[in-house]
Every structure is written in C-alpha cells, then in structure tokens.
Amino acid sequence: MLTALANRGIAAPMRVLGIAGILLVVGVVFGAPVASKLGAGGFSNPSAASTKASNLLADRFHTGYPNVVLELESPAGAKSTAVRNLGLLDVIALRSNQYVDDVQSYWTAAPSLAQGLISKDGKSALIVGRVAGDDTVAPDRAAAAVKSLTGTHNGITVKAGGIETVYNQVNHDVKSDLTKSEMIAIPLTVIALFWVFGSVIASLLPVAIGLASIIGTMAILRLLALFTSVSVYALNMTTAMGLALAIDYRLFIVSRYREEIRCGLAPDDAVRRTMATARRTVLFSALTVGLSLAAMLAFPLYFLRSFAYAGIAVVAFAALAALAILPAVLTLLAGRLESLDVRAWLRRRLHRPEPAPKTVEEGFWYRFAQRIMARAVPVGVVVVALLVCVGLPFLHVEF
C-alpha cells in the first residue's frame, strides 16, 4: 500500500496535489471556527457521584453550585444605599436573562445566607447565579450575561467571576495564545530549516505541509465535537505536534531525497528510492506516537481524552502527508528543490568559498553513533540509571 501511494504521487503529481488542495480548502472552511465549538472544562469524572448529583440538581431542580458571580465593591461599604440600589438592578438584570437561574445576592437572600455573601470588612458583597448549559455554551452565556454589568459605576466597582466566566476567559486566551505561538514558532522554524537545508523551497516545504496537517486536525476536532465533548486545550497539542511531526517526517524524506540526487539518480528514481527506504521509518514513528497517545482514551475526563483525539489525528495527517503528498511535491519540483539557496547567496555576498563536500563517515552523527556502539554496555547502563533517577519522584505522586 505504501508503494502504491508513492507511485501514485510520482505518476500523477498534479492530480494528487489537486485532491489535497480541495481537501485543504474544505478543512479550512470547516475547521476554522473550531475553537468556538470546544469546551473549556472536562476536569470532572462524569460517572462520579458528585457529578451525577450536580447534574441532577441542575436538570431537575434548576439549581446547584453557582457558576457565575458578581462582586460589588465600594469604599462606602456594601450596605450603603448606592451599592444596594446597583446590586438590586444587577439582580434584576440577571434574573431577566433566560439562561440564568437561582440568582441570590447579599441584599435579597435570607439573613442566614446573606452573611456568607459579604466580605469581613463589609466593603464588598456578592451576587451569585447559575448559568444553564454545558462547557461549550455556558461560558459564552455567562460572559454575555455579565458584560454590561461589570465596570465602575459612580465609584462602585463590579467584577465578574465564577467558573463559567473563567472558562470564557480561557477560551479567549487559548485563541490568542495560538495566534501568538504560531507567529513566533513558524518564523523561528523557518530560520532553523534555512540553517539545515539552505534552500528556501526545501525549507518552506516541511512548514507548508505541517500547516496542512494542523488544518486537517482542526477539522477532525470540530467533527468530533458534533458527537462528543472536546477540550479547547487540544488545540495547543495540535499546533505543537502538527509542526513538530510534520517537520520531523519531512526531514527524513527530504534529506534522504537529496542524498539520492547527489548520488546521481534521476528525480523520479530518487523519489522511489527515498520512499522505499524512509517510508517505514515514518510509518513506525507515527504508529508509536499514535498508540502512546491512545492510552489517554481510557480516562473518563474529556479534558484528557481530547489530547488523544488531537494527537492521533495530527499524527495520522502528518504521516499521510509525508507518504502520499510529499512524493508528488518532490516529483513536481524535480531538480528545483535546491532553488533559492540562501547559504550560497550569503557565501557570495561574504566572498566565502564553497564548503568541501563531506562523506557520511565524516559527519558528526556518524562518528557519534560509532562511539556509542563501541561502548554500548556502559553507555546503556548510564542512560538507564539517569532515566531511573529522573523518574524516581513519580513514586511519590499524589492525585
């Protein structure tokens, strides 16, 4: 099957890339809004007695632990007329919201309950309520309910809290952090690849296909979110692993392809030889990573299961792109993979001579591997001892 994938990419590269392009566009359109479809919770066991009791209170009695909170603070104190009037207006606003139930406040609760809703210094008091919905919709509902109520009004500061407000902020921060991380990681990755490959085309190729793997995984996560709960934190793993694995697998194949070209093979023959030798490395690596992450599927917390969803999907896309799309790209590029060599341009600008070609035996890693194999037993003992020392603290872990 792997040979058939490679041969199809070599025989009809435009057709393979055309199909991949169509799927990529579909993935962008379908997967782009994935962050808004994922939940920020998933930290409780759905089969635990406490979770069942909480769900029962919410579904049958429309009550339970408050998940949205407003704090009103003023130097004049929570018992002042101004704070009381504003607090009552906020209570009315929350009670008029169709998604908010069981609203209580210091000014409207029974005396026994009210004492727990005011600070010891008397300067701040609370309004608590419960927003209906799961971790996907409740955070947005909570944010919408308190948006117009927070801020400073005539010296009275109103702040929003509660777990659903926190989840909404988490969702917002995850989206922002993903954008920032990609803006930092991708340029640094390109610079590192320039250092490794020199050629602009050879350097950008792993990044481009890595982004395609990320897009495909986001589409899969949104599809899964239609049927089960998926954590928004899975997006962080998607970005990190998508780039890392895609670049890793492309390095295997592109480096091997360049070696075959240097040995005098024609581009098509170099692709065939490359896929014949490197494809098993990519496949076994993907299976190893995918199976290790699949262990997280055993956890009842969807926060952890989501990492398995994202990890398995991104590994599958990275491997598929390496085994099916990359041969087509290499065939289409033919001898242009080394075009726009940055290092050659710099050498010309700096009037530096071309470096003397080195054999494989002269390379650092070849010599390093030879030394390790010559001292296999002592090196193995030292490495195992080091790993055991690093893992010893886990014996005292407490969950």
Side-chain angles (χ1 to χ4, degrees), residues 330-361:
L330 293 175
T331 301
L332 200 62
L333 289 173
R336 295 185 294 274
L337 184 64
E338 306 296 340
S339 300
L340 304 176
D341 193 327
V342 176
R343 290 184 301 193
W345 178 82
L346 286 174
R347 283 194 295 268
R348 289 194 300 270
R349 298 285 293 181
L350 299 174
H351 305 289
R352 300 291 297 275
E354 290 284 338
K358 292 183 179 180
T359 62
V360 173
E361 290 76 9

Side-chain angles (χ1 to χ4, degrees), residues 20-343:
I22 293 172
L23 294 177
L24 183 63
V25 172
V26 173
V28 170
V29 173
F30 183 72
V34 63
S36 61
K37 307 297 180 182
L38 305 183
F43 306 108
S44 59
N45 185 351
S47 61
S50 58
T51 304
K52 292 180 179 179
S54 179
N55 292 338
L56 178 65
L57 289 172
D59 297 338
R60 183 172 299 182
F61 301 103
H62 304 289
T63 186
Y65 191 81
N67 54 23
V68 62
V69 179
L70 285 178
E71 180 195 40
L72 282 73
E73 183 180 11
S74 172
K79 298 180 181 180
S80 66
T81 302
V83 177
R84 174 185 173 83
N85 291 340
L86 182 59
L88 293 176
L89 289 175
D90 290 346
V91 169
I92 294 172
L94 288 177
R95 286 177 176 174
S96 64
N97 189 298
Q98 60 177 324
Y99 300 117
V100 183
D101 294 316
D102 200 18
V103 178
Q104 298 288 344
S105 75
Y106 167 73
W107 305 277
T108 58
S112 58
L113 179 60
Q115 292 306 310
L117 298 176
I118 188 171
S119 63
K120 290 182 178 180
D121 61 7
K123 292 184 178 181
S124 61
L126 301 179
I127 302 173
V128 299
R130 182 171 182 82
V131 178
D134 57 19
D135 293 334
T136 303
V137 297
D140 290 336
R141 291 175 177 176
V146 303
K147 183 178 180 180
S148 61
L149 306 180
T150 56
T152 302
H153 311 274
N154 298 323
I156 305 170
T157 302
V158 183
K159 300 178 182 178
I163 191 62
E164 297 302 341
T165 304
V166 172
Y167 284 167
N168 178 264
Q169 188 63 50
V170 166
N171 287 341
H172 177 271
D173 288 348
V174 166
K175 296 175 188 176
S176 175
D177 290 346
L178 282 174
T179 302
K180 292 177 182 177
S181 65
E182 290 170 0
M183 290 176 65
I184 296 172
I186 293 176
L188 291 178
T189 301
V190 171
I191 292 172
L193 290 172
F194 280 162
W195 179 69
V196 173
F197 285 122
S199 166
V200 172
I201 294 178
S203 301
L204 293 179
L205 184 58
V207 177
I209 301 183
L211 291 176
S213 302
I214 294 173
I215 291 171
T217 303
M218 288 183 172
I220 292 295
L221 290 178
R222 186 182 176 190
L223 181 64
L224 288 173
L226 298 176
F227 306 99
T228 187
S229 298
V230 181
S231 173
V232 71
Y233 293 98
L235 293 178
N236 296 87
M237 171 172 276
T238 298
T239 303
M241 287 192 64
L243 281 175
L245 289 175
I247 291 171
D248 192 27
Y249 297 160
R250 278 34 165 212
L251 284 173
F252 282 141
I253 294 175
V254 173
S255 297
R256 183 64 175 164
Y257 173 80
R258 297 175 82 186
E259 290 177 3
E260 298 298 343
I261 290 293
R262 291 193 200 101
C263 291
L265 290 181
D268 286 3
D269 293 333
V271 174
R272 290 189 180 91
R273 182 65 181 272
T274 297
M275 299 311 298
T277 55
R279 65 190 177 193
R280 291 179 181 175
T281 303
V282 172
L283 181 62
F284 291 158
S285 173
L287 288 174
T288 301
V289 176
L291 288 174
S292 64
L293 290 171
M296 290 189 179
L297 293 172
F299 289 92
L301 286 69
Y302 81 77
F303 168 75
L304 292 176
R305 287 203 315 270
S306 299
F307 287 104
Y309 300 152
I312 294 172
V314 79
V315 168
F317 276 112
L320 180 63
L323 299 174
I325 299 176
L326 197 55
V329 174
L330 293 175
T331 301
L332 200 62
L333 289 173
R336 295 185 294 274
L337 184 64
E338 306 296 340
S339 300
L340 304 176
D341 193 327
V342 176
R343 290 184 301 193

Side-chain angles (χ1 to χ4, degrees), residues 370-384:
Q370 290 284 61
R371 295 191 186 98
I372 294 298
M373 289 188 293
R375 303 169 181 81
V377 174
V379 170
V381 171
V382 170
V383 171
V384 171

